[in-house]
Amino acid sequence: MRPIAVGFTLRRMSGKMLMCKVNGKCETLLQPNQLGVGTPKGAEAAVHAIRAYVKSPEMINKVLLKIDMKNAFNQVRRDVILELVKEHTPEIFQYVYQCYSKTTSLFFGSFSEDGCVLDSKEGVQQGDPLGPFLFSLAIMNLIKSCESELNIWYLDDATLAGDLDTVISDYQKILQVVDSLGLSVNPAKCELYLIKPTTIECKNAHKTFCDLTEGVRLIKDDELTLLGAPILPEAIGGVLKPKLESLKLMASRLEEIDKHDALFLLRQCFAIPKMTYFFRTSPCFMEPEILKSYDEVIKSALTEILNLQFIEEKTWSQCTLPTKDGGLGVRSAQEVALPAFLSSVQGTLSTTSSLLPPEIREEKNEFFEIGSEKWLLQSGKSNLPDIQIFQSNWDRPICEKKLKDLIENADSDIEKARLLAISSENASSYLNALPLPSLGLKLSDAELPIVIGLRLGATLCQPHQCICGKNVEPDGLHGLDCNKQIGRLPRHTEGNILIKRAYAQLEIPSILEPNHLIDSEGRRPDGVTAFAVKQGKCVTWDYTCKNTLSDTYLFQNAEKAGQAAIAGERIKIGIYEERLKDYIFVPVAVETFGSWGPIGLNFIKDIGRKIREKTGQKNATSHIIQAISMGIQRGNAHSIMGTLGPQQKLEEYFDILMPRAEKF
């Protein structure tokens, strides 16, 4: 049982602050051997170091021992912790003393007679931000006493490697010392790996360790892992395949919730994010078939969630791009695995070197060499990135090449204009927003497939006749231009309401559709502030949403994104600027596929900056843009659905890529 003992926010905050205070001492006290506290990417460095050691040609007749402690965090002696804290970090001693000098009560169950109280006398308290540091401090002297040439600890997980005699000596020492710390070794979970054994002594090493503690398990190449990560290529399949089954299970469960929620969770939690650690620590890119299977599960999940088919390879290729490049942000395992591994190797290089024996520190990483060659081919670059420690520096060239290829190989101006628009600044804001209905940031199950289908250039509907009399093609694009569509009205109204609401946060009241500013032709701006905002003048604005793929702007948008929005701003300036000389007039133009006009975007950014200064809301600008972006996409969906007319049943005509007759 591991009860959460620190649940109060104040306690956790104070622990975090004190951890920041002593974090600088981690280097002198714990490093390089203890990687679980104060070492950035410590787990990754440990895995890379072990791999470099076992793969080195120099390492012959060596043994590697993984040691497991029984319930270590809950059993380490508190008096030992207090003594070491007082000696090495006296600045936090009073705090730690108050927390750990006396027995604490933990309540299990209810406070009624049916519940019980547990006396917590030993161990660091679960949930304490200082816990890992305190535990590491307790075993610090034990770690330093080990003489194996590879001596790596990640909190209570120990890995020793070297000559048989030295490792045995260290293991015996650990068995003797841990009892004084309140700890104990669990031999049944300890593992022994033989590194290139040729001598009888090395081949019989397993028996030697079992004589000390019965139960130590001898493992082979395909079983060698550290902190959950495979060390050798032979072990990758054994680690990734269970993850594949887990993804299948999660994908099946995502089908049972709202589509927008499911897409967000798949993208942010259950797909690539679940695998990032394994991709960074191991050369998973060398197992393309397994990665392909992983991508197929992701594709299948998206097909079910969005009710879209990814028949064309270019559609799936676009889908796996980051959102800022016009994709869905559901990344491909085959593409992410390589940049993740390469960046991790380079980002942990100094830490890894400090762990290895001097004679092998300069040896080339064969997997990095293989990966580098593959990256050059995949990215189209002639040189490796200048700064190699960041995953984005390896990933961006691959994504940029994919997007460039998609644009250059576009079949039409419509496809090219779409790709340029959705990869422009802020065009993907709605995809990056938390799907919160209370803030108007969630698309319905009917809206989401259409919005995503538009983004991907997918088939949206069966051919039919619009209520205006014109034919609607399977892409559904006619609805974005049709003047008969009611979706245009809420799209326009919502944008103005959001601007008004943003001004309200600045305590600047405003008026929508001001009657006193109507001209002889019945035109008026969409809104005006009730009081002067700048230069003794009120601000008045007019909001418009232009169709990116309209025939009027298609040629220009196929050359450069945002041209329809720029033209929209110019039109509004021509109409209102001269007539509204006593006001500061701002045209706000956005396109159906997300591109912003520069004047309107700067206007929103200025309001967002002022809100941030006034309220401290750091993401004020992005929140406004997300809300407006979501309103546009919702209006797009209803404009396309509205081509059928309000009286006809949607399911009679719409088939969002896949027949769903069984549901009707």
Side-chain angles (χ1 to χ4, degrees):
M1 184 181 299
R2 297 184 179 182
I4 302 298
V6 181
F8 294 105
T9 301
L10 185 61
R11 170 74 189 282
R12 292 182 66 84
M13 288 179 61
S14 58
K16 283 182 177 290
M17 288 188 291
L18 289 175
M19 188 63 226
C20 292
K21 188 176 181 67
V22 300
N23 197 54
K25 289 190 175 183
C26 291
E27 183 175 356
T28 55
L29 292 174
L30 307 177
Q31 294 179 6
N33 305 104
Q34 176 59 266
L35 303 177
V37 183
T39 303
K41 305 181 182 73
E44 296 177 22
V47 176
H48 292 314
I50 297 292
R51 182 179 297 111
Y53 187 89
V54 300
K55 290 293 293 182
S56 173
E58 299 290 326
M59 300 298 114
I60 301 175
N61 292 315
K62 306 284 187 177
V63 298
L64 182 147
L65 180 67
K66 294 169 58 180
I67 302 172
D68 180 79
M69 302 283 184
K70 291 182 181 178
N71 199 19
F73 271 58
N74 286 337
Q75 293 187 352
V76 64
R77 286 174 51 181
R78 292 182 178 178
D79 59 332
V80 173
I81 291 175
L82 290 171
E83 182 180 343
L84 290 169
V85 169
K86 187 176 183 179
E87 178 183 355
H88 297 287
T89 55
E91 61 269 36
I92 66 170
F93 176 74
Q94 291 297 329
Y95 176 86
V96 177
Y97 182 83
Q98 292 182 55
C99 296
Y100 289 98
S101 62
K102 296 181 180 179
T103 299
T104 53
S105 298
L106 303 177
F107 297 93
F108 179 74
S110 64
F111 289 98
S112 64
E113 294 181 359
D114 297 331
C116 63
V117 179
L118 305 177
D119 290 332
S120 178
K121 300 179 181 180
E122 301 295 349
V124 295
Q125 297 163 348
Q126 294 287 326
D128 186 0
L130 282 170
F133 173 74
L134 298 178
F135 176 83
S136 299
L137 204 61
I139 64 173
M140 173 183 66
N141 292 328
L142 172 62
I143 295 174
K144 292 180 178 180
S145 69
C146 293
E147 298 177 356
S148 297
E149 58 184 358
L150 201 66
N151 178 24
I152 298 175
W153 294 66
Y154 193 88
L155 299 176
D156 60 327
D157 291 314
T159 304
L160 304 176
D163 297 328
L164 176 60
D165 292 340
T166 307
V167 175
I168 288 177
S169 175
D170 284 342
Y171 187 47
Q172 291 174 321
K173 187 184 304 178
I174 291 172
L175 292 173
Q176 294 170 0
V177 174
V178 291
D179 185 62
S180 64
L181 302 176
L183 305 173
S184 59
V185 173
N186 184 6
K189 290 187 177 181
C190 294
E191 296 177 344
L192 179 69
Y193 176 76
L194 307 181
I195 306 172
K196 304 179 188 67
T198 60
T199 64
I200 296 176
E201 184 183 28
C202 186
K203 292 179 179 179
N204 294 333
H206 182 224
K207 183 179 182 302
T208 305
F209 281 97
C210 286
D211 290 340
L212 293 174
T213 54
E214 188 176 353
V216 177
R217 191 166 71 93
L218 182 65
I219 60 175
K220 298 179 180 179
D221 291 357
D222 60 351
E223 300 173 287
L224 182 57
T225 63
L226 183 70
L227 302 174
I231 300 299
L232 300 173
E234 294 86 342
I236 293 176
V239 172
L240 292 191
K241 287 178 180 177
K243 302 298 177 184
L244 182 62
E245 295 304 313
S246 177
L247 177 62
K248 290 179 180 178
L249 177 62
M250 294 309 305
S252 65
R253 292 178 175 175
L254 288 176
E255 297 173 23
E256 301 176 10
I257 64 177
D258 293 345
K259 294 181 182 296
H260 199 162
D261 294 335
L263 175 62
F264 187 86
L265 290 172
L266 181 69
R267 187 162 61 92
Q268 300 287 356
C269 304
F270 298 137
I272 298 303
K274 280 279 189 180
M275 301 298 295
T276 299
Y277 170 73
F278 303 100
F279 292 163
R280 288 183 61 83
T281 53
S282 305
C284 298
F285 64 89
M286 297 182 67
E287 297 291 336
E289 290 303 315
I290 299 177
L291 298 182
K292 185 178 179 181
S293 299
Y294 203 84
D295 286 342
E296 288 298 324
V297 175
I298 297 174
K299 184 188 291 188
S300 177
L302 279 177
T303 299
E304 291 297 325
I305 293 170
L306 300 174
N307 203 13
L308 295 171
Q309 286 188 6
F310 303 99
I311 300 175
E312 295 188 32
E313 184 58 35
K314 64 180 181 180
T315 305
W316 175 244
S317 182
Q318 181 195 336
C319 189
T320 58
L321 282 169
T323 55
K324 66 179 180 181
D325 294 320
L328 296 187
V330 182
R331 302 301 306 283
S332 164
Q334 297 177 82
E335 293 178 359
V336 174
L338 183 58
F341 178 76
L342 295 175
S343 62
S344 179
V345 169
Q346 295 302 91
T348 60
L349 198 57
S350 61
T351 305
T352 302
S353 296
S354 69
L355 297 168
L356 293 172
E359 63 267 25
I360 66 171
R361 287 176 183 173
E362 302 302 322
E363 289 184 357
K364 291 184 177 180
N365 186 320
E366 67 173 286
F367 301 113
F368 180 83
E369 297 295 316
I370 295 171
S372 298
E373 293 295 325
K374 187 173 181 178
W375 182 85
L376 290 172
L377 292 173
Q378 203 168 330
S379 65
K381 299 290 185 180
S382 56
N383 296 299
L384 300 181
D386 293 332
I387 302 175
Q388 301 179 4
I389 63 174
F390 301 120
Q391 186 171 328
S392 59
N393 289 355
W394 294 93
D395 190 44
R396 284 306 302 159
I398 295 175
C399 295
E400 289 170 356
K401 185 177 184 299
K402 278 184 65 177
L403 179 59
K404 182 181 179 183
D405 290 343
L406 286 171
I407 294 173
E408 290 180 350
N409 297 322
D411 296 331
S412 64
D413 283 347
I414 289 179
E415 185 178 349
K416 192 173 182 180
R418 173 180 60 81
L419 290 168
L420 289 172
I422 61 177
S423 59
S424 63
E425 183 185 6
N426 297 308
S428 305
S429 296
Y430 67 95
L431 276 176
N432 299 324
L434 284 169
L436 300 174
S438 59
L439 299 179
L441 298 178
K442 184 175 179 178
L443 296 167
S444 70
D445 285 358
E447 295 165 346
L448 184 69
I450 297 176
V451 169
I452 300 301
L454 279 173
R455 183 177 180 87
L456 299 177
T459 301
L460 292 182
C461 60
Q462 295 292 331
H464 61 277
Q465 191 176 61
C466 179
I467 56 176
C468 72
K470 295 183 179 180
N471 292 328
V472 180
E473 299 298 324
D475 58 18
L477 294 177
H478 167 77
L480 301 180
D481 247 350
C482 183
N483 292 325
K484 296 277 186 182
Q485 300 312 313
I486 59 173
R488 297 161 62 96
L489 299 177
R491 186 172 64 191
H492 181 269
T493 302
E494 191 167 351
N496 287 306
I497 290 174
L498 290 167
I499 295 173
K500 176 181 174 67
R501 191 179 299 167
Y503 266 130
Q505 287 187 264
L506 296 173
E507 298 181 347
I508 299 174
S510 56
I511 304 166
L512 295 182
E513 299 184 359
N515 291 326
H516 62 287
L517 295 179
I518 297 178
D519 64 10
S520 58
E521 298 179 12
R523 295 175 301 194
R524 62 186 172 191
D526 289 325
V528 62
T529 60
F531 300 98
V533 175
K534 189 177 181 181
Q535 301 172 359
K537 296 181 179 180
C538 297
V539 172
T540 180
W541 73 87
D542 199 73
Y543 177 87
T544 184
C545 184
K546 294 290 187 179
N547 182 14
T548 302
L549 307 181
S550 171
D551 291 341
T552 307
Y553 310 109
L554 182 58
F555 178 77
Q556 295 93 322
N557 275 338
E559 294 295 324
K560 188 177 181 180
Q563 297 306 299
I566 293 173
E569 289 183 340
R570 291 172 180 168
I571 293 171
K572 294 297 181 181
I573 290 173
I575 295 173
Y576 291 110
E577 190 174 54
E578 190 66 25
R579 184 165 61 83
L580 299 173
K581 289 183 177 181
D582 295 333
Y583 299 83
I584 297 175
F585 174 71
V586 181
V588 182
V590 193
E591 296 182 12
T592 52
F593 281 81
S595 296
W596 282 72
I599 300 174
L601 183 59
N602 288 334
F603 172 63
I604 296 299
K605 288 181 177 180
D606 185 59
I607 293 176
R609 177 182 56 78
K610 291 177 178 177
I611 293 174
R612 183 177 69 249
E613 293 173 351
K614 181 177 179 62
T615 66
Q617 185 182 341
K618 295 182 179 180
N619 299 322
T621 300
S622 63
H623 288 168
I624 301 171
I625 292 174
Q626 284 175 355
I628 293 175
S629 177
M630 191 68 72
I632 292 171
Q633 299 307 315
R634 188 178 293 110
N636 290 345
H638 285 276
S639 293
I640 292 175
M641 290 188 288
T643 58
L644 295 169
Q647 302 301 319
Q648 300 183 47
K649 293 182 179 181
L650 184 64
E651 59 264 30
E652 294 178 359
Y653 295 91
F654 269 68
D655 181 2
I656 312 300
L657 285 186
M658 295 176 64
R660 293 287 176 172
E662 71 274 9
K663 291 189 176 183
F664 301 148

